[in-house]
């Protein structure tokens, strides 16, 4: 080999060594950062668990007297509300924890449920709310051209013709379950309509 080729190879070897050192250093820094993040997240979870275990400074026995039970995540839940095989949304983000819980649920012949204890259930999860029993089922708002229709009536097969008539007259049908869901002025109109039904 010529001197130029040897010099080029030595320069290339030196660059590879430098690059290897740089990559190794970066890997060490990333490992350190990962360890730091893991420690911080563990401390955060421990603190959250500690705060959740004893709200208002109550002891475990007092919490149980209040009808609460501690879940596998360390948090307190009303007895019977947290399914046996369940994870919170935050716990389910941990792939290892999720796989273990799913396997345990399958082994028990159950379904793993993901729950969110910090968020109240949506109406669609609970099912439909109870619908008011009232004689008044349709209330028209002439100003906004809305017709407020009780949900059970709107969902009935007999309502089809009335629905088409409301649309032809320029009304937009809006469903409601309880009178307090209506705008304030419509609640007043509803009360007056109910009074007039009672008077008849």
């Amino acid at each position: 080999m010529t001197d130029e080729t040897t010099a080029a190879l030595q320069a290339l070897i030196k660059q590879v060594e430098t690059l290897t050192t740089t990559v190794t250093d970066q890997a060490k820094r990333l490992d350190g950062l990962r360890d730091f993040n893991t420690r911080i997240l563990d401390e955060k979870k421990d603190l959250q668990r500690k705060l959740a275990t004893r709200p208002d400074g109550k002891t475990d026995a007092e919490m149980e007297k209040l009808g609460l039970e501690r879940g596998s995540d360390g948090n307190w839940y009303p007895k019977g509300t947290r399914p046996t095989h369940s994870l919170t949304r935050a716990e389910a983000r941990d792939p290892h924890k999720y796989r273990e819980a799913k396997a345990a649920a399958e082994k028990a012949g159950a379904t793993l449920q993901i729950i969110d204890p910090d968020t109240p259930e949506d109406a669609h999860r609970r099912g439909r709310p109870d619908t008011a029993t009232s004689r008044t089922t349709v209330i028209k708002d002439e100003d906004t051209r809305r017709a407020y229709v009780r949900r059970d009536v709107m969902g009935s097969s007999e309502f089809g013709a009335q629905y088409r008539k409301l649309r032809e007259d320029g009304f937009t049908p809006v469903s409601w379950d309880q009178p307090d869901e209506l705008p304030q002025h419509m609640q007043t109109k509803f009360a007056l309509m109910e009074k007039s039904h009672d008077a008849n």
Side-chain angles (χ1 to χ4, degrees), residues 7 19 24 29 45 54-55 93 111 122-123 130 140 143 145 159 163 171 178 180 187-188 195-196:
L19 185 59
T24 305
R29 282 197 295 272
K45 286 180 183 177
R54 295 191 175 147
R93 289 190 190 106
T111 304
D122 294 329
D130 294 331
K140 293 180 183 175
D143 295 331
R145 305 304 288 169
F159 184 68
Y163 179 86
F171 284 94
Q178 294 294 327
D180 60 359
Q187 289 181 33
T188 304
K195 239 183 214 182
S196 101

Side-chain angles (χ1 to χ4, degrees), residues 10-80:
Q10 288 176 347
L12 184 60
I13 290 169
K14 194 168 206 169
Q15 287 177 343
V16 169
E17 287 174 354
T18 304
L19 185 59
T20 304
T21 304
T22 303
V23 169
T24 305
D25 290 345
Q26 287 177 344
K28 285 178 183 174
R29 282 197 295 272
L30 285 174
D31 287 342
L33 184 60
R34 188 182 312 114
D35 292 343
F36 174 77
N37 285 343
T38 303
R39 192 180 82 242
I40 293 298
L41 287 172
D42 286 345
E43 288 174 7
K44 180 185 174 202
K45 286 180 183 177
D46 289 343
L47 181 61
Q48 286 175 332
R49 204 171 287 122
K50 184 178 177 183
L51 291 173
T53 54
R54 295 191 175 147
D56 303 328
K58 297 196 182 314
T59 65
D60 289 358
E62 289 172 318
M63 295 296 281
E64 288 169 6
K65 282 181 186 175
L66 291 172
L68 301 173
E69 61 186 354
R70 190 192 301 267
S72 59
D73 61 352
N75 294 323
W76 290 94
Y77 299 92
K79 282 187 180 167

Side-chain angles (χ1 to χ4, degrees), residues 55 61 93 95-96 107 138 157 179 189:
R93 289 190 190 106
H96 179 68
K107 187 176 180 182
V138 179
S157 56
K189 186 172 182 179

Side-chain angles (χ1 to χ4, degrees), residues 150-162:
R150 203 174 67 200
R151 186 181 306 277
D152 60 333
V153 172
M154 187 181 275
S156 69
S157 56
E158 300 84 31
F159 184 68
Q162 190 176 358

Side-chain angles (χ1 to χ4, degrees), residues 102-178:
K102 187 165 176 68
E106 287 173 357
K107 187 176 180 182
T111 304
L112 176 65
Q113 294 183 28
I114 308 301
I115 59 173
D116 198 350
D118 299 329
T119 307
E121 288 185 16
D122 294 329
H124 71 273
R125 286 188 187 160
R126 285 192 312 260
R128 287 197 175 146
D130 294 331
T131 303
T133 52
S134 62
R135 293 187 184 186
T136 306
T137 57
V138 179
I139 313 160
K140 293 180 183 175
D141 186 346
E142 300 291 340
D143 295 331
T144 62
R145 305 304 288 169
R146 289 179 178 234
Y148 294 92
V149 184
R150 203 174 67 200
R151 186 181 306 277
D152 60 333
V153 172
M154 187 181 275
S156 69
S157 56
E158 300 84 31
F159 184 68
Q162 190 176 358
Y163 179 86
R164 285 190 291 281
K165 177 75 172 121
L166 286 168
R167 296 299 286 182
E168 286 170 11
D169 293 345
F171 284 94
T172 303
V174 178
S175 65
W176 56 277
D177 288 300
Q178 294 294 327

